[in-house]
Amino acid sequence: MSLVHEKDYGTPKSKAEKTVTLTIDGQSVSVPEGTSVMRAAADLGISVPKLCATDMLDAFGSCRVCVVEVEGRGGTPASCTTPVAEGMVVKTESDRLSRIRKGVMELYLSDHPQEWDARKGGADCELHDVAEQVGVETIRYGDGGRNHLDCGVDDSNPYFSFDSSKCIVCSRCVRACNEVQGTFALTVEGRGFDSRISAGTPIDDFISSDCVSCGACVQACPTEALQEKAVIEKGVPTSSAVTTCAYCGVGCSFKAEMQGEEVVRMVPYKDGKANRGHSCVKGRFAIGYANHEDRILNPMIRDHYSQPWREVSWDEAIGFAAGKIKDIQAKYGRGAVGGISSSRCTNEEVYLVQKMVRAGFGNNNIDTCARVCHSPTGYGLKTTFGTSAGTQDFDSVEKTDVILLIGANPTDGHPVFASRMKKRLREGAKLIVIDPRRIDLVRTAHVKADVHLPLKPGTNVAMLTAIAHVIVTEGLMNEAFIQERCDWDEFQDWAAFVAQDERSPEAMEAVTGVDPDLVRRAARLYAKGGNSAIYYGLGVTEHSQGSTSVIAIANLAMATGNIGREGVGVNPLRGQNNVQGSCDMGSFPHELPGYRHVSEEGVRSIYEKLWGVEIDKEPGLRIPNMFDAAVEGTFKGLYCQGEDILQSDPDTKHVSAGLEALELLIVHDLFLNETANYANVFLPGSTFLEKNGTFTNAERRINRVRRVMTPKNGYEDWEVTQMLARAIGMDMNYSHPSEIMAEIADTTPSFANVTYELLDEKGSVQWPCNDAHPEGSPVMHVDGFMRGKGKFVVTEYVATDERTGPRFPLLLTTGRILSQYNVGAQTRRTQNTVWHAEDVLEIHPHDAEDRGIRDKDWVKLSSRSGETSLRAKITDRVAPGVVYTTFHHPVTQANVITTDFSDWATNCPEYKVTAVQVAPSNGPTDWQEDYQELSEESRRIQSLEAAE
């Protein structure tokens, strides 16, 4: 494995269609109009020296190293800021240019530390590379004059340091923060010789600033002024491979840069089509969990969860688990066992789990974490459009004129895409935010929403119907699109429904709590603003009417014709790295891979012929049904891969009761999570760095995952599942994940042309990828909907059964924060805890004052399901009557509070609406203190065992 080098062309690629022909150093080249001379030279393989220029940023022209000569023009213009012209003749090398460049570089180097350790970073410094390129051997000016060599080092950030003595004030870091990330946390302070990079805070360090630690500044820095601490400690990498991040559904491509079996750093890959060379703090830096001491690397078993674990060999653990599965099925029937696949694992691994359940266990008791997040997306979009996925690629946002964002907080949950969204907003696109909370995009640096609709939690359907009312009654529909692409009779039924007076913004104000004038403004903007796109998240799906809300969103897109081209569409922002893929692979109890119902005989026959077994035509148990059946005594065994259901699923008491009732719980994971407290078998998992396979992101993009280190547990996750399948009697003999993908392609029409060879050639593809779309489908429903005619569905608002009252007068809603991820199993084991060491409860100043609560006070949060304690954060980001918290720390156990209400169609839990009371507290509850003591004791025992 060698280092993956990416060419830096100096300036971004021009998108112009017209081409210009010019001559550079005697060679003719044709490039798009608007291309810089520097980039045109790079196309010819001519490397013009540069320091302030990089193709991730707009041209700046400050360093004066990239000067060239242009025939017929005076002076020596900077090649990065000089656009090409027809017939232009350019020289990039001459004695004159050489003298200028050497003089400039001598000045830079005279105010720069002259000694550096080549092993520990010198070979990673563009400044010294350029000095060598222009031929600087001596520095005439010496270092005795005024300089910056004694400037201090800012080590406040846990992941990188800033040594201002090495800074040349090229502004690449400032521009990266502005142009790529969009945070505007850095600035150039002072004038002339006193110019310096500043984090813009009174303390003037990175940790205290608005910096979000995305790493864009570090990546942009051409010197060692900004440098990863891992590189300082370990030295520069010696090999790398392109892989895919295992955090959120954006699916960023990274170069995993290594020294042998050790990761030195993760560098965002410029050719990654989802992230275009950008990253966030999690993907860029938070990989320490892969080597964390808490990782379990050897299998463990015990007869009952009350007993201590016993470390055993893989053969004994697999034999023990398989024997228990057989015993349970012999005693209780084949339906008494099931599996939960992981949205964190690869497509290939997920496919094998559902195959093991269907062909090995002999039932359809297979489900996935999408049940508790985006299952309403699958139901709603399949009902209306005919396929269970978003309609666009992420690039589409660059052509969007109006963004309607509902129930999503991209800056925290999908930060890399949020940066692209913010860039488009700075370019002039309009933004509508529908959210109970004032998220960052409502008002942040250089971005402000045009309309914010702070609706009452649980009223999405009422709000969307009110918007539809305005569009229909004011004649803002695209009737030509509807007539051509949708069922006209169904549209008329829907239009008559939404046009009724009781669904007007004025009538719905009593339900949503939103000013009807704002609703009308938002509706007109969405319908008349040009290319309008809807992006949504769990604030839409995790409701009792989650599926209805998704259908209502689809109705709006069809009614306005915002489907089937770039810049528009319906775009679910998926939460986990492979939640789209886990759904694609048939992880629901009613669907085989490709979203085909198990009742379809023709579909079942494909797999029955291939697998040599009969497949049950009846859907199996959903996750909540598994808990119900376990408590009832009819469901006795569960294989749970990469999912901490005890922390992530709602109504914790019911989940624990179900797990406690099982006779066999197999947990296949990296760490002893909360669910493992009830397990009989623990099978160690492997990280994304230790496996081959593919992930499918929120835009249906299938990305390669490439193994860069040997699995610390000895096996990739697909191999572990295969061992268990063999032990229960299945004939499962794959030698590489590419063989599993070949089977997926052979049996799933939307993946028909997907191969590892194609992915290696193209980088990635978006399904459907078949004979009709051999290189994938960036935009769906271009010429028609997958189901034929688009289906309008009436969306009646039905209030949730979860109501506030005297006992529980507030509404709790939940979400994520940038630095932590999901239940925190990974990020809590990294230095990201610097930013979010505990979950806190956001509460409005009015509600806090009524209860005598001050900022940072301990408060008790209680509902009809349970109670917990956490610290209060007083803020007007939430409205009076609404409180908000995250769920990243198990000691908080936010799901002790949430109820068993769920979406009517999919059983997706209603996480976003829970009636609660908040009261002052003296500190953590008894069970929280017991948990903390147990956790500390467990860690102590593990460390002692490791020492032995």
Side-chain angles (χ1 to χ4, degrees), residues 489-509:
D489 290 338
E490 290 174 343
F491 164 72
Q492 289 183 310
D493 290 342
W494 172 80
F497 167 79
V498 300
Q500 294 171 7
D501 290 342
E502 57 264 37
R503 292 176 180 87
S504 69
E506 290 73 19
M508 286 298 186
E509 183 180 11

Side-chain angles (χ1 to χ4, degrees), residues 461-462 465 497 500 503 508 545 548 793-799:
V461 172
T465 302
F497 167 79
Q500 294 171 7
R503 292 176 180 87
M508 286 298 186
Q545 280 200 289
T548 312
V793 179
V794 168
T795 52
E796 185 76 56
Y797 168 66
V798 179

Side-chain angles (χ1 to χ4, degrees), residues 415-436:
V416 171
F417 177 69
S419 293
R420 301 186 68 180
M421 183 181 286
K422 288 191 291 184
K423 183 176 182 180
R424 180 61 189 143
L425 293 171
R426 294 196 300 274
E427 292 170 347
K430 305 298 184 183
L431 175 64
I432 302 163
V433 174
I434 305 177
D435 200 290

Side-chain angles (χ1 to χ4, degrees), residues 648-870:
S648 64
D649 283 39
D651 195 1
T652 301
K653 290 180 181 178
H654 184 57
V655 177
S656 60
L659 296 177
E660 189 174 3
L662 295 174
E663 292 186 10
L664 173 66
L665 174 59
I666 305 168
V667 169
H668 183 179
D669 217 313
L670 300 174
F671 306 104
L672 279 173
N673 55 30
E674 303 306 299
T675 304
N677 291 333
Y678 293 94
N680 311 86
V681 179
F682 188 90
L683 303 177
S686 54
T687 70
F688 78 109
L689 297 166
E690 301 163 332
K691 62 177 66 173
N692 288 294
T694 57
F695 294 150
T696 305
N697 74 350
E699 52 172 354
R700 297 169 283 104
R701 185 175 303 283
I702 307 164
N703 265 318
R704 277 296 310 276
V705 180
R706 293 179 176 88
R707 174 170 156 172
V708 294
M709 62 172 64
T710 305
K712 293 183 180 299
N713 65 340
Y715 297 98
E716 298 181 29
D717 288 336
W718 67 270
E719 295 177 294
V720 175
T721 302
Q722 179 165 274
M723 288 190 291
L724 181 59
R726 286 176 179 170
I728 63 172
M730 290 185 68
D731 181 17
M732 191 180 285
N733 293 288
Y734 304 98
S735 61
H736 190 269
S738 59
E739 297 174 5
I740 306 172
M741 178 54 74
E743 182 173 316
I744 295 167
D746 285 344
T747 58
T748 311
S750 55
F751 278 68
N753 281 14
V754 178
T755 64
Y756 278 29
E757 290 75 20
L758 178 66
L759 296 176
D760 289 342
E761 176 189 349
K762 300 295 181 184
S764 62
V765 297
Q766 293 171 264
W767 67 259
C769 181
N770 47 32
D771 289 342
H773 308 278
E775 294 185 4
S777 310
V779 178
M780 296 277 280
H781 317 299
V782 174
D783 300 316
F785 289 102
M786 295 287 286
R787 70 180 306 277
K789 293 286 187 179
K791 183 179 181 64
F792 281 89
V793 179
V794 168
T795 52
E796 185 76 56
Y797 168 66
V798 179
T800 173
D801 289 333
E802 181 71 357
R803 309 288 173 86
T804 57
R807 187 179 175 195
F808 302 113
L810 304 175
L811 284 177
L812 169 70
T813 189
T814 63
R816 298 175 181 172
I817 200 164
L818 171 65
S819 59
Q820 295 289 347
Y821 182 73
N822 247 24
V823 298
Q826 295 153 282
T827 46
R828 281 186 288 106
R829 292 175 169 90
T830 70
Q831 294 181 79
N832 280 27
T833 52
V834 166
W835 292 284
H836 189 76
E838 61 180 348
D839 296 318
V840 296
L841 185 74
E842 292 187 3
I843 184 169
H844 190 272
H846 175 77
D847 294 325
E849 185 176 358
D850 280 352
R851 290 160 175 79
I853 295 168
R854 296 169 300 180
D855 197 50
K856 298 183 181 178
D857 278 357
W858 278 95
V859 295
K860 181 173 73 172
L861 178 67
S862 56
S863 72
R864 64 180 179 85
S865 294
E867 63 182 43
T868 188
S869 290
L870 64 172

Side-chain angles (χ1 to χ4, degrees), residues 296 300 308-311 672 938-948:
I296 305 300
M300 300 186 298
W309 285 108
R310 182 164 59 91
E311 193 174 288
L672 279 173
S938 297
R939 286 194 292 270
R940 188 184 68 82
I941 292 173
Q942 284 183 33
S943 64
L944 287 174
E945 289 175 345
E948 291 174 0

